[in-house]
Amino acid sequence: MKIVVVGNGMVGYKFCEKIRQKASAEKVEVIVYGDEIIPAYDRVHLSEYFENQKVDGLLMATKEWYQTQDITLKTGELVTSINTEEKSIKTHKGNVESYDALVLATGSAALVPKIKGVEKKGVFVYRKIEDLDQIIQFGKGIKRAAVLGGGLLGLEAAKALMDMNLETQVIEFADKLMPRQLDQIGSDLLKHKIESLKIEVLLGKNTQTIQGNGKLSKLEFSDGTELETEMLVISCGIIPRDELAENAGITKGPRGGYQVNEKMETNIEGIYAIGEAASYNQMTYGLVAPGYEMAEVAIDQIIGRKELLFKGADMSTKLKLIGVEVGSFGDALGSTENCLPISIIDQNLGIYKKINLSADGKKLLGGILVGDTGDYNILHQFALNGITLPPNPEDLILSSKEEKSTLNGVAALPSSSQICSCENISKGAIEEAIKSNNLENLAQVKSCTKAGTGCGACTPMVGDILSETLQSMGKVVRKILCEHFDYTRQELFDLVKVSGITSYDEFLSEYGKGDGCEICKPAVASILSSVYNDLIIKQDTIQDTNDRFLANIQKGGSYSVVPRIPGGEITPEKLIVIGEVAKDYHLYTKITGGQRIDLFGARIEDLPDIWERLINAGFESGHAYGKSLRTVKSCVGSTWCRYGLHDSVSFAIEVEDRYKGLRSPHKLKGGVSGCRRECAEAQSKDFGIIATEIGWNLYVGGNGGANPVHAQLLAGDIDSETLIKYLDRFLMFYIKTAEPLNRTSVWLSKMEGGIEYLKSVIVEDSLKIGEQLEQEMQQLLEVYQCEWKAVVNDPELRKKFTHFSNRLVGDPALKFNEMRGQKVPANWG
Amino acid sequence: MIKEIITKYETVIPEQVKVWEKVAHVNDFPLNGGLAFYYKGLQVAVFNFTRRNEWYATQNLCPHKKQMILSRGMIGSNGEEPKVACPFHKKTFSLKNGKSLNDGVCDLATYPVKIEANEVFIGFNE
Ligand code: SRM
Ligand SMILES: Cc1cc2nc3c(=O)[nH]c(=O)nc-3n(C[C@H](O)[C@H](O)[C@H](O)COP(=O)(O)OP(=O)(O)OC[C@H]3O[C@@H](n4cnc5c(N)ncnc54)[C@H](O)[C@@H]3O)c2cc1C
Ligand code: SF4
Ligand code: FES
């Protein structure tokens, strides 16, 4: 059998790729004609061509690929007519080719409205690489450009023009941007955002004439207004390329395109149409995903399997490239009768989310997302698969994306749900591919399944499916740090110790690759200080910002100052000093949840002076900025309290002083209560100590915060000395073996054998490492120094606390308002 | 106010440079880190990428939550691409061309840097 494909665009290419998976060259001969000079390229990512003008990266496949697949590709050759009697086609070069099956994948052309003057120089469309070449060439000599059409493509084109440093306007006939995808509110917000990118938006403008002497110079609108511009890019929609219909007698759809049935057959036997050239149910599908599906259906018919049918497709879309998040899916405009819309608008953050529910509130029909499309994939899945909604559907759009874990989302999806809509790949297919091919990383999954290779929007979900599947297969997912280090944190910890290397840069050269990043720098920094406890400010630029400037950064870029107040005990004299410093430097003061005082709103250049005053009064750094010991909270205990069994304050101070400055994978908090009434909430801490009749109970692995966890009993009724010994071992064991940014609760929950195993290591010393852990701790504690004291006393280190290189004054962008007699950051974002 | 500021940042390519402003001596910079520089109402973040022996300059304003802070960001690489991570929420940007490496965040304007006699200069077009 011989198949002739007319058109070598995205869908024509997909046809070639898929046919060879189903039928070899012996069975089916394939000949492809394309009128463009180069083989099929990725039109979806066409705008990337602006960046480097390189075609190679955009090609769907090289010419060699067609050869290896035994597919004859003829580029630069236009098919001009079909002879249905003889079953052959003819090209503009006069060549004739016979066929058994003819597949029309001729795509579409840009729709150019009949405006007077549209033929002038400077007017372009946005469809092919040649168009872009012309736009780039012409754009070099001019300053201003406009785009006609405020739809998805128009906005993408506008961004490209703006990137060419042209003053850019978008002109839209309707009163809304993306009129088919957005409602008024969504459009208003989008307009606002686009304008903040310096692209002007003109709505409700009907362009009447294009003026200019041979070359365009201005546009005239029907309302009498004008716009001066030097280039116009038309993006008003598409028109199917169905030139071959007339002479061959192929029926066309009402809006053009070769009319097809659900088998992709035209009215002429043996002739099929797919992609944007096809008209199914009076619809042209201007997206790749439906086109790819059509290609598969056509193949199924042609090779006689005849199982697949095309039943229409989803037209959901996300705007890409422009730097503004916009998504719209299903019944976005809420045109279903009695549907229930829920929406939230946050003008401050520029976020608008709307979902339309079915009349019974059980199914999601569609929706609009502007400003934050983090929920797009999950919502789209709900709508696409008709999944029954949870009882409070509003929660789906209420929480911000930072708070939501998509992993739960993926686990909840049925395996038939479509994950990659560009390539039409289901969750089940991805799982299957991972299992049967033993895939282990995202790159492998992408190249094997093609999921995530289209628009890329589903990549995070594909990643989640990968880790979930690997886990279900009992595979250890090796938690390597990042692209620069092929090791886990525990392995790196050992490497630091064994190598004796003390500088990040040297360590990276020795054991890593590349130049590091914001993940491995702070992680290695934390390990280095857990091993050596040297002054972290010596290698300040590998620290997270809070550690780098030894203070927590706040909105607007000011910093907070938290002196250590061990156990929460403080003398009146020290309180007065804090008050005076706060007054002199105009700082906001607050009692923290950790039993101490935070002074907020300090300018970076004032930090050394502020600390100098505090240190002179006997204060030390509170390490509120570090992944290190924070506070050991105490209750008032037996000195004052009528129930108190032991002196919890003294013990809390002893413990806090012992471990202050100790760096760890995440922050550490402790608590000491004088009896089981537990006023210090010790059981919600990383380590909690509670007085008993004859000694202390030691609890570990508690957590407040986002996921509260009760601490578990490690040892009961022990004396102070034993308690400190166990605590040394416990903390050191955690520091050596936890993953970065895992609190003790998380570390313990992942530990095989749990608290019983931990007891055996710490209390029974089953690994025979108890003594070593204690020694390692002792070494760290011996080299402790208050890092603020070190800075205050060193003029070179003090210099690091500056904003500008060339001015002694501070950042003029810092702004404050007043609230209840104190200052607060001005919210000027 | 913030709107006016954002629109002032525009990438300057070497051919457009009209003035080279002196920023500071090479040794005034942290190793593998940055400093802010004030010029005609603009704040520019200037980075000393010691490890690669390269210098970069971008706008100091992070487009994510409009914080004047990128000079205090951590630098590193993404494959071959040098990048800076904003200290606030770790959005990352290419130092080469200012392109955002995260979805939905705008790009940064970048400025040419030159070193002459161990002094650092940034190029502006006005
Ligand atoms: C100031 C304070 C709130 C207050 O006004 O009371 C506070 C403020 C911050 N907390 Fe907290 N936390 C404060 C007590 C707490 C407590 C209560 C406590 O310690 O008893 C908790 C729950 C207990 C716990 O940690 O288990 C708490 C749980 C968190 C968490 C969540 C930790 C978790 O495991 O889920 C974070 C985020 C993190 O560390 O990743 C956090 C992070 C932060 C940061 C550091 C966020 C940041 O990086 O900017 C805030 C810094 C503000 C600043 O500019 O200084 N803060 N934070 C408290 C300072 C205590 C201190 O004296 O050092
Ligand atoms: C800038 C841009 C961005 C886009 N973004 C997205 C997106 O984000 N998501 C999405 O889903 N879709 C997007 N699209 C749409 C997508 O590119 C098209 O849906 C897809 O390319 C259609 O494939 P096709 O093969 O049907 O048509 P085409 O890709 O147009 O291919 C048809 C080919 O056939 C050739 N041809 C036509 N007639 C003949 C003939 N008689 N003889 C020989 N050759 C002929 C044409 O020259 C062309 O090369 C975008 C399009 C553009 C232009
Ligand atoms: S925990 Fe017990 S000792 Fe401490 S204050 Fe409360 S009641 Fe008193
Ligand atoms: S402000 Fe820069 S990442 Fe949020």
Side-chain angles (χ1 to χ4, degrees):
Chain A
M1 177 156 65
K2 183 169 164 190
I3 304 176
V4 171
V5 182
V6 186
N8 184 222
M10 295 186 78
V11 175
Y13 160 77
K14 186 57 62 172
F15 184 92
C16 296
E17 182 195 305
K18 295 282 174 185
I19 186 93
R20 275 294 174 258
Q21 291 172 3
K22 304 261 166 72
S24 65
E26 286 95 68
K27 286 208 194 112
V28 177
E29 189 188 349
V30 181
I31 301 169
V32 188
Y33 286 90
D35 69 348
E36 292 189 73
I37 307 297
I38 57 167
Y41 51 87
D42 184 354
R43 222 177 285 288
V44 170
H45 292 106
L46 189 63
S47 300
E48 285 169 19
Y49 185 70
F50 276 104
E51 274 166 32
N52 50 19
Q53 273 100 284
K54 281 201 190 114
V55 176
D56 293 2
L58 286 178
L59 288 187
M60 305 295 293
T62 58
K63 283 197 161 162
E64 291 71 47
W65 177 86
Y66 292 89
Q67 278 167 13
T68 60
Q69 300 293 312
D70 273 319
I71 293 173
T72 311
L73 171 65
K74 306 214 166 159
T75 54
E77 196 158 355
L78 177 77
V79 174
T80 47
S81 61
I82 308 171
N83 185 333
T84 50
E85 296 287 296
E86 285 173 12
K87 287 196 149 191
S88 69
I89 55 106
K90 196 169 161 193
T91 73
H92 81 292
K93 292 184 178 166
N95 294 331
V96 175
E97 190 86 55
S98 65
Y99 64 82
D100 297 308
L102 180 66
V103 179
L104 304 174
T106 49
S108 51
L111 175 71
V112 179
K114 295 197 179 66
I115 300 172
K116 217 173 120 210
V118 76
E119 72 296 335
K120 288 199 194 321
K121 232 179 120 193
V123 181
F124 301 95
V125 297
Y126 198 78
R127 176 85 197 170
K128 298 182 173 188
I129 289 204
E130 292 155 37
D131 301 329
L132 267 65
D133 278 332
Q134 291 175 7
I135 292 173
I136 293 168
Q137 203 47 43
F138 194 83
K140 282 187 182 149
I142 59 163
K143 289 216 171 66
R144 320 186 53 182
V147 174
L148 195 62
L152 272 171
L153 275 187
L155 294 177
E156 198 177 313
K159 171 78 174 8
L161 295 179
M162 194 201 73
D163 285 345
M164 287 169 67
N165 288 322
L166 297 174
E167 202 179 294
T168 307
Q169 277 95 9
V170 174
I171 305 155
E172 167 59 48
F173 174 75
D175 290 326
K176 294 187 288 178
L177 282 172
M178 295 176 61
R180 277 188 294 171
Q181 287 93 1
L182 295 183
D183 58 11
Q184 195 63 48
I185 303 175
S187 160
D188 288 350
L189 205 66
L190 177 61
K191 175 167 182 274
H192 186 76
K193 296 207 166 202
I194 301 232
E195 284 174 340
S196 72
L197 294 172
K198 291 188 285 181
I199 297 174
E200 197 187 331
V201 177
L202 305 173
L203 296 178
K205 292 282 179 195
N206 185 355
T207 314
Q208 213 132 51
T209 21
I210 298 174
Q211 291 283 14
N213 186 5
K215 203 167 92 182
L216 133 93
S217 62
K218 75 177 175 207
L219 308 174
E220 285 175 2
F221 304 116
S222 58
D223 60 5
T225 55
E226 303 176 339
L227 175 72
E228 282 189 21
T229 190
E230 295 163 281
M231 168 156 75
L232 182 69
V233 175
I234 295 184
S235 177
C236 293
I238 51 174
I239 175 148
R241 288 192 58 181
D242 52 13
E243 306 103 86
L244 296 169
E246 228 102 306
N247 109 304
I250 304 173
T251 310
K252 292 206 266 182
R255 287 181 220 156
Y258 305 107
Q259 188 169 309
V260 292
N261 60 15
E262 53 186 16
K263 300 173 180 167
M264 308 327 295
E265 296 166 336
T266 64
N267 60 314
I268 309 274
E269 204 228 302
I271 302 186
Y272 302 79
I274 57 178
E276 287 186 352
S279 167
Y280 172 78
N281 248 343
Q282 322 202 348
M283 279 270 287
T284 304
Y285 290 92
L287 295 173
V288 283
Y292 286 2
E293 209 183 320
M294 291 177 184
E296 297 214 56
V297 172
I299 290 170
D300 225 44
Q301 295 300 325
I302 295 172
I303 62 168
R305 237 180 106 237
K306 306 205 173 195
E307 278 172 18
L308 299 178
L309 294 174
F310 184 76
K311 294 269 172 64
D314 176 57
M315 293 290 274
S316 307
T317 32
K318 246 166 97 171
L319 183 59
K320 56 184 194 296
L321 288 173
I322 186 151
V324 177
E325 296 188 36
V326 177
S328 144
F329 59 95
D331 180 7
L333 299 178
S335 39
T336 311
E337 219 176 303
N338 292 333
C339 74
L340 307 169
I342 303 180
S343 59
I344 57 161
I345 309 171
D346 184 333
Q347 295 286 6
N348 185 27
L349 294 174
I351 293 174
Y352 171 56
K353 301 181 184 182
K354 175 173 177 183
I355 49 178
N356 298 313
L357 310 185
S358 58
D360 60 4
K362 294 221 166 92
K363 298 275 148 76
L364 184 57
L365 302 173
I368 295 173
L369 302 170
V370 180
D372 174 3
T373 50
D375 300 329
Y376 178 85
N377 285 328
I378 281 292
L379 291 175
H380 186 200
Q381 290 296 336
F382 269 103
L384 212 55
N385 296 296
I387 301 171
T388 304
L389 293 170
N392 301 314
E394 61 276 13
D395 287 350
L396 290 171
I397 52 171
L398 277 178
S399 47
S400 80
K401 65 182 161 196
E402 272 88 9
E403 289 164 11
K404 208 174 312 186
S405 147
T406 52
L407 196 62
N408 296 331
V410 168
L413 295 174
S415 79
S416 63
S417 55
Q418 189 193 48
I419 299 295
C420 176
S421 53
C422 294
E423 298 279 338
N424 185 17
I425 297 163
S426 68
K427 180 182 168 192
I430 298 175
E431 289 171 336
E432 181 53 37
I434 295 171
K435 286 183 185 153
S436 52
N437 300 306
N438 270 318
L439 307 181
E440 285 182 335
N441 59 47
L442 196 57
Q444 288 172 343
V445 178
K446 277 182 160 183
S447 78
C448 178
T449 63
K450 298 237 161 185
T453 55
C455 68
C458 63
T459 311
M461 277 184 137
V462 178
D464 288 347
I465 294 173
L466 174 66
S467 20
E468 211 185 81
T469 314
L470 288 179
Q471 267 164 21
S472 76
M473 292 163 72
K475 278 203 189 169
V476 187
V477 190
R478 228 174 93 88
K479 298 263 164 42
I480 63 161
L481 210 54
C482 64
E483 65 172 88
H484 304 108
F485 285 102
D486 233 347
Y487 300 100
T488 63
R489 180 180 179 278
Q490 191 173 347
E491 288 163 345
L492 288 174
F493 191 99
D494 294 338
L495 284 174
V496 166
K497 277 212 111 148
V498 174
S499 67
I501 294 177
T502 55
S503 104
Y504 170 84
D505 244 20
E506 205 184 312
F507 190 69
L508 177 64
S509 305
E510 192 69 30
Y511 296 103
K513 50 181 178 284
D515 306 305
C517 68
E518 69 284 359
I519 297 170
C520 60
K521 284 185 174 181
V524 171
S526 158
I527 294 174
L528 287 170
S529 42
S530 286
V531 172
Y532 305 112
N533 209 2
D534 197 6
L535 275 185
I536 61 168
I537 192 158
K538 288 191 192 158
Q539 290 185 63
D540 56 342
T541 55
I542 58 168
Q543 304 286 349
D544 268 328
T545 192
N546 287 355
D547 281 293
R548 176 169 175 194
F549 296 106
L550 306 175
N552 287 332
I553 196 167
Q554 291 132 359
K555 274 191 183 165
S558 68
Y559 286 88
S560 72
V561 170
V562 188
R564 188 167 292 291
I565 301 179
E569 186 185 78
I570 185 164
T571 61
E573 289 72 26
K574 279 187 159 174
L575 277 174
I576 289 168
V577 172
I578 290 187
E580 282 170 352
V581 169
K583 248 173 126 175
D584 293 352
Y585 289 91
H586 194 41
L587 304 173
Y588 169 95
T589 51
K590 181 183 180 297
I591 310 286
T592 73
Q595 279 190 346
R596 49 189 184 172
I597 298 167
D598 200 339
L599 300 94
F600 295 85
R603 292 182 157 270
I604 188 167
E605 60 275 12
D606 286 343
L607 285 171
D609 297 345
I610 292 172
W611 274 104
E612 186 165 16
R613 294 260 305 263
L614 292 169
I615 280 167
N616 287 340
F619 284 106
E620 284 185 318
S621 168
H623 298 94
Y625 44 80
K627 301 297 172 223
S628 56
L629 182 79
R630 295 288 168 87
T631 64
V632 179
K633 189 172 172 174
S634 78
C635 75
V636 62
S638 59
T639 27
W640 290 90
C641 176
R642 60 194 166 130
Y643 295 112
L645 297 171
H646 307 304
D647 180 0
S648 49
V649 177
S650 297
F651 201 37
I653 294 174
E654 182 187 337
V655 174
E656 183 160 340
D657 273 335
R658 180 173 181 80
Y659 299 116
K660 65 189 172 196
L662 179 69
R663 300 269 158 179
S664 41
H666 205 315
K667 60 192 175 194
L668 285 168
K669 296 179 177 182
V672 184
S673 281
C675 83
R676 24 179 294 270
R677 284 170 195 76
E678 248 283 67
C679 296
E681 300 170 309
Q683 285 167 101
S684 67
K685 305 294 181 203
D686 296 278
F687 55 89
I689 302 165
I690 301 176
T692 66
E693 299 286 337
I694 54 170
W696 305 97
N697 280 350
L698 174 58
Y699 297 82
V700 295
N703 207 160
N707 297 302
V709 176
H710 267 127
Q712 302 177 62
L713 186 68
L714 184 72
D717 288 330
I718 47 178
D719 59 28
S720 309
E721 209 177 313
T722 315
L723 190 141
I724 296 284
K725 184 168 86 176
Y726 290 170
L727 210 42
D728 278 358
R729 293 178 179 182
F730 164 75
L731 292 174
M732 206 62 219
F733 191 46
Y734 162 66
I735 287 170
K736 292 177 82 163
T737 60
E739 282 163 42
L741 300 181
N742 278 200
R743 288 285 291 267
T744 55
S745 64
V746 178
W747 169 70
L748 186 52
S749 74
K750 290 181 183 168
M751 190 180 289
E752 234 172 287
I755 187 76
E756 290 310 318
Y757 175 73
L758 188 64
K759 269 187 206 166
S760 78
V761 175
I762 304 299
V763 179
E764 289 140 35
D765 198 9
S766 59
L767 299 179
K768 299 270 171 292
I769 55 169
E771 208 168 316
Q772 183 199 342
L773 293 173
E774 287 164 46
Q775 269 167 16
E776 283 167 338
M777 179 63 82
Q778 199 50 44
Q779 282 160 14
L780 287 182
L781 301 181
E782 271 163 19
V783 295
Y784 163 82
Q785 50 179 320
C786 168
E787 39 210 20
W788 266 116
K789 196 171 191 173
V791 171
V792 164
N793 292 332
D794 184 335
E796 279 306 307
L797 292 180
R798 283 179 88 127
K799 276 199 202 147
K800 289 180 187 272
F801 295 82
T802 160
H803 182 69
F804 287 123
S805 58
N806 56 340
R807 295 181 115 207
L808 289 172
V809 302
D811 178 4
L814 270 186
K815 294 269 181 312
F816 299 96
N817 292 337
E818 217 191 75
M819 196 188 210
R820 290 186 296 278
Q822 293 202 78
K823 75 169 180 189
V824 288
N827 209 355
W828 63 298
Chain B
M1 163 189 183
I2 189 75
K3 270 222 196 104
E4 295 150 35
I5 295 185
I6 291 180
T7 54
K8 281 198 204 150
Y9 290 102
E10 263 184 71
T11 291
V12 176
I13 56 171
E15 296 82 73
Q16 298 168 328
V17 172
K18 296 219 181 85
V19 262
W20 285 102
E21 276 290 315
K22 185 154 108 184
V23 178
H25 191 271
V26 169
N27 292 347
D28 292 335
F29 280 81
L31 301 182
N32 291 304
L35 273 180
F37 175 63
Y38 191 85
Y39 177 73
K40 291 197 181 166
L42 296 182
Q43 291 199 23
V44 177
V46 188
F47 298 97
N48 173 14
F49 209 139
T50 331
R51 192 177 166 83
R52 294 165 67 122
N53 204 8
E54 291 166 351
W55 289 79
Y56 294 102
T58 68
Q59 67 188 55
N60 195 27
L61 184 78
C62 177
H64 177 229
K65 290 286 150 81
K66 321 287 181 283
Q67 302 286 335
M68 208 43 108
I69 207 67
L70 289 169
S71 62
R72 295 179 220 166
M74 204 180 286
I75 58 178
S77 64
N78 190 355
E80 278 303 299
E81 195 77 5
K83 63 171 180 177
V84 58
C86 174
F88 271 89
H89 313 97
K90 297 213 173 165
K91 301 284 180 204
T92 51
F93 305 87
S94 159
L95 285 170
K96 276 220 167 104
N97 52 26
K99 286 254 177 287
S100 159
L101 305 173
N102 307 88
D103 276 352
V105 182
C106 303
D107 301 337
L108 305 178
T110 57
Y111 302 83
V113 189
K114 72 169 182 188
I115 311 293
E116 254 173 36
N118 283 326
E119 298 285 350
V120 183
F121 294 82
I122 305 294
F124 294 93
N125 56 6
E126 54 186 322

mmCIF file of all heavy atoms in Angstrom, chain A residues 635-638 641 643-645 648 673-680, ligand 3:
data_model
loop_
_atom_site.group_PDB
_atom_site.id
_atom_site.type_symbol
_atom_site.label_atom_id
_atom_site.label_comp_id
_atom_site.label_asym_id
_atom_site.label_seq_id
_atom_site.Cartn_x
_atom_site.Cartn_y
_atom_site.Cartn_z
ATOM 1 N N CYS A 635 8.979 26.705 81.508
ATOM 2 C CA CYS A 635 7.929 27.190 82.396
ATOM 3 C C CYS A 635 8.639 27.712 83.643
ATOM 4 O O CYS A 635 9.841 27.533 83.803
ATOM 5 C CB CYS A 635 6.962 26.078 82.748
ATOM 6 S SG CYS A 635 7.658 24.930 83.945
ATOM 7 N N VAL A 636 7.899 28.336 84.526
ATOM 8 C CA VAL A 636 8.537 29.002 85.663
ATOM 9 C C VAL A 636 9.113 27.993 86.664
ATOM 10 O O VAL A 636 10.096 28.271 87.355
ATOM 11 C CB VAL A 636 7.556 30.012 86.288
ATOM 12 C CG1 VAL A 636 6.325 29.288 86.811
ATOM 13 C CG2 VAL A 636 8.192 30.811 87.402
ATOM 14 N N GLY A 637 8.517 26.790 86.740
ATOM 15 C CA GLY A 637 9.119 25.688 87.490
ATOM 16 C C GLY A 637 9.065 25.809 89.002
ATOM 17 O O GLY A 637 8.393 26.684 89.561
ATOM 18 N N SER A 638 9.839 24.917 89.645
ATOM 19 C CA SER A 638 9.701 24.719 91.091
ATOM 20 C C SER A 638 10.088 25.949 91.921
ATOM 21 O O SER A 638 9.699 26.062 93.075
ATOM 22 C CB SER A 638 10.542 23.520 91.533
ATOM 23 O OG SER A 638 11.896 23.749 91.189
ATOM 24 N N CYS A 641 6.456 27.971 91.181
ATOM 25 C CA CYS A 641 5.156 27.332 90.960
ATOM 26 C C CYS A 641 4.860 26.302 92.052
ATOM 27 O O CYS A 641 5.720 25.499 92.419
ATOM 28 C CB CYS A 641 5.135 26.658 89.601
ATOM 29 S SG CYS A 641 3.623 25.771 89.306
ATOM 30 N N TYR A 643 3.210 23.659 91.914
ATOM 31 C CA TYR A 643 3.233 22.254 91.471
ATOM 32 C C TYR A 643 4.627 21.793 91.047
ATOM 33 O O TYR A 643 4.862 20.621 90.818
ATOM 34 C CB TYR A 643 2.301 22.039 90.277
ATOM 35 C CG TYR A 643 0.849 22.249 90.600
ATOM 36 C CD1 TYR A 643 0.142 23.325 90.073
ATOM 37 C CD2 TYR A 643 0.170 21.344 91.429
ATOM 38 C CE1 TYR A 643 -1.190 23.517 90.353
ATOM 39 C CE2 TYR A 643 -1.172 21.549 91.728
ATOM 40 C CZ TYR A 643 -1.851 22.634 91.186
ATOM 41 O OH TYR A 643 -3.164 22.809 91.476
ATOM 42 N N GLY A 644 5.513 22.714 90.854
ATOM 43 C CA GLY A 644 6.800 22.413 90.233
ATOM 44 C C GLY A 644 7.593 21.327 90.946
ATOM 45 O O GLY A 644 7.695 21.315 92.171
ATOM 46 N N LEU A 645 8.161 20.398 90.177
ATOM 47 C CA LEU A 645 8.955 19.308 90.746
ATOM 48 C C LEU A 645 10.447 19.628 90.707
ATOM 49 O O LEU A 645 11.178 19.322 91.640
ATOM 50 C CB LEU A 645 8.691 18.006 89.987
ATOM 51 C CG LEU A 645 7.249 17.497 90.077
ATOM 52 C CD1 LEU A 645 7.024 16.334 89.107
ATOM 53 C CD2 LEU A 645 6.901 17.065 91.501
ATOM 54 N N SER A 648 12.816 24.030 86.308
ATOM 55 C CA SER A 648 12.802 23.938 84.847
ATOM 56 C C SER A 648 13.511 25.123 84.197
ATOM 57 O O SER A 648 14.101 24.980 83.126
ATOM 58 C CB SER A 648 11.365 23.829 84.336
ATOM 59 O OG SER A 648 10.571 24.826 84.938
ATOM 60 N N SER A 673 9.548 21.584 80.966
ATOM 61 C CA SER A 673 8.423 21.858 81.858
ATOM 62 C C SER A 673 8.702 21.286 83.242
ATOM 63 O O SER A 673 9.309 20.217 83.365
ATOM 64 C CB SER A 673 7.134 21.230 81.315
ATOM 65 O OG SER A 673 6.589 22.023 80.289
ATOM 66 N N GLY A 674 8.199 21.984 84.267
ATOM 67 C CA GLY A 674 8.466 21.591 85.646
ATOM 68 C C GLY A 674 7.574 20.483 86.178
ATOM 69 O O GLY A 674 7.834 19.935 87.252
ATOM 70 N N CYS A 675 6.543 20.136 85.444
ATOM 71 C CA CYS A 675 5.710 18.981 85.827
ATOM 72 C C CYS A 675 4.840 18.602 84.633
ATOM 73 O O CYS A 675 4.900 19.251 83.601
ATOM 74 C CB CYS A 675 4.853 19.285 87.057
ATOM 75 S SG CYS A 675 3.318 20.151 86.669
ATOM 76 N N ARG A 676 3.990 17.559 84.809
ATOM 77 C CA ARG A 676 3.288 17.098 83.632
ATOM 78 C C ARG A 676 2.147 18.006 83.181
ATOM 79 O O ARG A 676 1.475 17.732 82.192
ATOM 80 C CB ARG A 676 2.784 15.660 83.762
ATOM 81 C CG ARG A 676 2.559 15.090 85.127
ATOM 82 C CD ARG A 676 2.045 13.678 84.983
ATOM 83 N NE ARG A 676 0.713 13.743 84.362
ATOM 84 C CZ ARG A 676 -0.412 13.838 85.063
ATOM 85 N NH1 ARG A 676 -0.391 13.859 86.370
ATOM 86 N NH2 ARG A 676 -1.564 13.875 84.428
ATOM 87 N N ARG A 677 1.931 19.148 83.866
ATOM 88 C CA ARG A 677 0.954 20.109 83.332
ATOM 89 C C ARG A 677 1.503 20.723 82.034
ATOM 90 O O ARG A 677 0.765 21.294 81.256
ATOM 91 C CB ARG A 677 0.624 21.161 84.381
ATOM 92 C CG ARG A 677 -0.317 20.588 85.429
ATOM 93 C CD ARG A 677 -0.508 21.476 86.629
ATOM 94 N NE ARG A 677 -1.134 20.696 87.712
ATOM 95 C CZ ARG A 677 -0.499 19.811 88.461
ATOM 96 N NH1 ARG A 677 0.802 19.616 88.284
ATOM 97 N NH2 ARG A 677 -1.146 19.125 89.374
ATOM 98 N N GLU A 678 2.822 20.665 81.895
ATOM 99 C CA GLU A 678 3.437 20.962 80.585
ATOM 100 C C GLU A 678 3.196 22.390 80.095
ATOM 101 O O GLU A 678 2.867 22.598 78.926
ATOM 102 C CB GLU A 678 2.874 19.974 79.540
ATOM 103 C CG GLU A 678 3.890 18.987 79.008
ATOM 104 C CD GLU A 678 4.823 19.609 77.992
ATOM 105 O OE1 GLU A 678 5.612 20.470 78.399
ATOM 106 O OE2 GLU A 678 4.766 19.211 76.815
ATOM 107 N N CYS A 679 3.399 23.380 80.949
ATOM 108 C CA CYS A 679 3.185 24.761 80.516
ATOM 109 C C CYS A 679 4.204 25.218 79.459
ATOM 110 O O CYS A 679 3.980 26.213 78.776
ATOM 111 C CB CYS A 679 3.221 25.704 81.713
ATOM 112 S SG CYS A 679 1.866 25.378 82.850
ATOM 113 N N ALA A 680 5.308 24.522 79.322
ATOM 114 C CA ALA A 680 6.301 24.917 78.314
ATOM 115 C C ALA A 680 6.036 24.234 76.967
ATOM 116 O O ALA A 680 6.789 24.442 76.013
ATOM 117 C CB ALA A 680 7.713 24.583 78.796
HETATM 118 S S1 SF4 C 3 4.405 22.976 83.949
HETATM 119 FE FE1 SF4 C 3 3.976 22.530 86.014
HETATM 120 S S2 SF4 C 3 5.657 23.515 87.081
HETATM 121 FE FE2 SF4 C 3 5.645 24.435 85.106
HETATM 122 S S3 SF4 C 3 4.403 26.241 85.425
HETATM 123 FE FE3 SF4 C 3 3.050 24.634 84.608
HETATM 124 S S4 SF4 C 3 2.180 23.775 86.463
HETATM 125 FE FE4 SF4 C 3 3.972 24.956 87.071
#
